[in-house]
């Protein structure tokens, strides 16, 4: 047999073998003899690819600055909000929890870690971690669970049209501090000097103090500003309030400076016999006297709605920032007795909850 005839024989043999091979359940002969089968095969492969995309489990990041134990109610509310929308953590959604544990120098690295993981959405628990997330990405959608002044902090262009990749919820409620001062005046009729515990570096602090000053002018009381920049400043600030004979106080210290030390703050207020109205519900549950303000737990629940809408294709730039709709008034009657304060019946009647 010549070389050319050998080649023809081998080619014929190989072709026969190839025609007999099974390719995805089809033989090449059947595919060549039935062009429509090729279309069916391609359709099947495309369907499989689409199904894989549809079953992709979304991954979101939740970034907070405070220790997890200090915001348990908020994170549980967020989980509940997701469950109400059909998402179950570990089944059809993955949540990457990241906490700065009160250490601000960790915020940027934690935000970068979530970006590296390529999460679909980043939920931020407060303004400091929102800024860290904003600096880490301009692509991944960011949902603010709460922020006292989103426009002033430079996170959104406006509440109605956020622009960029950030949207969510604002804790800003015009007139809120005036109402807090009004309640303090009701429980301390001779109120003349009010200590204002605040953190000058806190985002939104300037707006809060402007409202306090307006309310103080209306009620004819003098203000004593006490800047709490670190946890170790808390006790010193209470000593200053007592020295200046404050009749009552407003507490605006939040985040990693105040939240983890709620019990200590409540104890200092009692030992100083100082009536304090707090801006977070957790303080009253830890032994503080009164809380009137935004229900921040409700804001976290509502943050889940933003996550859902973004996962379904909405763009943060087109989702307006929403403001608080739920406010609570809580009185700790046990604490009132400890500092020798009698709460008027008409004030008690307005409370949403009285701790006895």
């Amino acid at each position: 047999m010549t070389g050319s005839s050998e080649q023809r024989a081998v080619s014929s043999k190989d072709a026969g073998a190839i025609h007999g091979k099974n390719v995805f359940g089809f033989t090449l002969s059947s595919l060549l003899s039935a062009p429509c089968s090729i279309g069916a095969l391609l359709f099947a492969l495309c369907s499989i690819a689409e199904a894989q995309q549809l079953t992709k489990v979304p991954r979101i990041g939740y970034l907070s600055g405070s220790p997890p134990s200090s915001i348990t109610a908020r994170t549980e509310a967020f989980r509940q909000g997701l469950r109400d929308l059909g998402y179950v953590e570990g089944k059809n959604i993955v949540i990457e929890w990241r906490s700065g544990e009160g250490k601000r120098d960790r915020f940027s690295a934690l935000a970068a870690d979530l970006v590296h993981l390529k999460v679909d959405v980043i939920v931020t628990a407060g303004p400091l971690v929102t800024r860290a997330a904003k600096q880490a990405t301009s692509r991944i959608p960011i949902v603010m669970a709460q922020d006292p002044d989103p426009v002033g902090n430079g996170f959104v262009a406006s509440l109605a049209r956020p622009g960029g990749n950030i949207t969510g919820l604002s804790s800003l409620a015009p007139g809120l501090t005036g109402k807090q001062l009004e309640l303090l005046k009701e429980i301390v009729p001779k109120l003349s000097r009010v200590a204002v515990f605040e953190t000058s570096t806190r985002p939104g602090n300037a707006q809060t103090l402007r409202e306090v000053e307006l309310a103080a002018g209306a009620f004819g009381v003098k203000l004593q500003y006490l800047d709490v920049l670190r946890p170790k400043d808390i006790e010193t600030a209470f000593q200053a309030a007592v020295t200046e004979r404050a009749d009552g106080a407003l507490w605006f210290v939040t985040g990693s400076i105040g939240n983890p030390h709620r019990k200590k703050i409540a104890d200092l207020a009692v030992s100083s016999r100082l009536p304090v109205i707090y801006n977070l519900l957790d303080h009253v549950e830890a032994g503080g006297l009164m809380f009137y303000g935004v229900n921040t737990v409700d804001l976290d629940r509502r943050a889940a709605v933003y996550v859902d809408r973004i996962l379904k294709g909405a763009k943060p730039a087109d989702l307006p920032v929403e403001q608080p709709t739920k406010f609570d008034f809580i009185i700790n009657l046990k604490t009132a007795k400890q500092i020798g304060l009698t709460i008027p019946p008409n004030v008690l009647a307005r409370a949403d909850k009285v701790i006895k």
Side-chain angles (χ1 to χ4, degrees):
M1 185 178 292
T2 64
S4 60
S5 61
E6 288 177 354
Q7 290 173 357
R8 285 194 297 272
V10 171
S11 299
S12 175
K13 181 179 179 181
D14 290 344
I18 292 172
H19 275 278
K21 284 186 178 178
N22 187 292
V23 183
F24 296 108
F26 300 92
T27 64
L28 184 59
S29 298
S30 63
L31 288 173
L32 293 174
S33 62
C36 63
S37 297
I38 298 177
L41 176 60
L42 293 174
F43 177 78
L45 292 174
C46 289
S47 298
I48 292 172
E50 290 176 359
Q52 289 176 335
Q53 291 180 348
L54 289 173
T55 56
K56 176 190 173 185
V57 177
R59 182 183 298 269
I60 63 175
Y62 189 102
L63 181 60
S64 68
S66 300
S69 60
S70 68
I71 57 169
T72 303
R74 291 185 57 193
T75 53
E76 181 52 37
F78 178 65
R79 284 190 177 100
Q80 185 59 53
L82 289 174
R83 287 194 290 267
D84 292 343
L85 294 165
Y87 297 98
V88 179
E89 185 179 4
K91 291 187 177 181
N92 60 352
I93 196 167
V94 174
I95 306 177
E96 298 287 349
W97 301 95
R98 296 292 185 275
S99 168
E101 298 286 349
K103 300 175 182 177
R104 297 189 183 190
D105 57 351
R106 296 183 57 193
F107 296 173
S108 295
L110 292 172
D113 181 41
L114 292 175
V115 173
H116 178 72
L117 290 174
K118 297 180 180 180
V119 294
D120 298 295
V121 183
I122 297 175
V123 178
T124 54
L128 294 179
V129 287
T130 299
R131 188 165 302 284
K134 181 179 186 292
Q135 293 171 345
T137 181
S138 59
R139 179 183 58 83
I140 298 175
I142 297 171
V143 174
M144 305 174 293
Q146 62 169 4
D147 189 277
D149 189 4
V151 177
N153 288 333
F155 298 145
V156 299
S158 70
L159 298 184
R161 294 184 176 276
N165 64 320
I166 303 177
T167 187
L169 295 131
S170 170
S171 56
L172 180 63
L176 178 61
T177 54
K179 183 63 177 177
Q180 292 169 334
L181 196 55
E182 180 184 344
L183 287 169
L184 195 57
K185 181 77 172 177
E186 286 190 72
I187 64 172
V188 185
K190 295 182 179 180
L191 187 73
S192 63
R193 189 175 185 86
V194 176
V196 180
F197 294 87
E198 44 98 16
T199 303
S200 58
T201 57
R202 177 180 66 88
N205 188 66
Q207 173 68 23
T208 300
L209 296 189
R210 281 195 293 270
E211 291 192 10
V212 172
E213 288 171 359
L214 287 172
F219 290 109
V221 299
K222 295 181 180 180
L223 301 176
Q224 176 191 6
Y225 295 108
L226 299 167
D227 198 6
V228 181
L229 297 172
R230 297 155 297 182
K232 68 178 183 180
D233 296 334
I234 295 173
E235 189 166 353
T236 303
F238 270 100
Q239 290 172 353
V242 172
T243 300
E244 294 297 321
R245 299 181 182 279
D247 305 304
L250 299 174
W251 183 271
F252 299 120
V253 181
T254 60
S256 57
I257 300 174
N259 294 353
H261 308 285
R262 298 187 301 269
K263 183 65 170 63
K264 176 183 178 180
I265 293 164
D267 290 344
L268 283 169
V270 169
S271 63
S272 303
R273 299 180 71 82
L274 185 66
V276 183
I277 293 187
Y278 299 88
N279 64 337
L280 291 176
L281 172 61
D282 294 345
H283 283 280
V284 178
E285 294 177 342
L289 176 63
M290 291 174 61
F291 162 76
Y292 177 77
V294 175
N295 186 315
T296 54
V297 171
D298 182 61
L299 296 183
D300 271 83
R301 180 189 60 78
R302 291 166 61 190
V305 176
Y306 279 88
V307 171
D308 176 56
R309 294 180 68 181
I310 290 171
L311 291 178
K312 290 178 178 176
K315 296 180 179 180
D318 301 328
L319 296 176
V321 173
E322 296 182 1
Q323 293 181 281
T325 57
K326 189 174 182 180
F327 300 84
D328 289 329
F329 178 31
I330 314 296
I331 299 174
N332 191 321
L333 206 55
K334 179 181 177 181
T335 302
K337 292 177 181 177
Q338 287 178 323
I339 63 176
L341 185 68
T342 300
I343 305 295
N346 66 317
V347 176
L348 283 172
R350 300 202 304 270
D352 296 294
K353 179 181 179 182
V354 176
I355 300 174
K356 298 181 180 180

